[in-house]
Amino acid sequence: MSFPGYLFYALVLVGAFAVRSAAGFGAVLIAVPMLAFVMPMSAAVSIGSALTAITSIHQLGHGWRHIAWREFRTI
């Protein structure tokens, strides 16, 4: 991949995860179609999924104390 390709790759990921920060979802919806312009679709999906999983685990670690666990009881 050329330098402009890497620059596009970085800008797409920053933009996609900025939308995810604001809206709470949507990083993969933005990133995968845009990344498909510079890399194979299978690589774009894998990268998008892996980065979303990592950021979700990170968010869960920070918000664990704020979960209303009593709301999940079934009885």
Side-chain angles (χ1 to χ4, degrees), residues 20 52-67 69 72:
R20 186 180 191 274
T52 300
I54 291 168
T55 57
S56 295
I57 291 169
H58 184 262
Q59 262 184 324
L60 181 63
H62 283 283
W64 189 261
R65 295 178 302 236
H66 304 290
I67 297 173
W69 292 106
F72 289 105

Side-chain angles (χ1 to χ4, degrees), residues 3-55:
F3 179 73
Y6 282 119
L7 184 62
F8 181 74
Y9 173 80
L11 290 174
V12 165
L13 287 179
V14 168
F17 281 95
V19 168
R20 186 180 191 274
S21 297
F25 67 96
V28 174
L29 295 174
I30 294 169
V32 169
M34 299 300 288
L35 290 178
F37 287 122
V38 294
M39 63 179 48
M41 182 61 83
S42 60
V45 170
S46 299
I47 290 170
S49 299
L51 290 175
T52 300
I54 291 168
T55 57

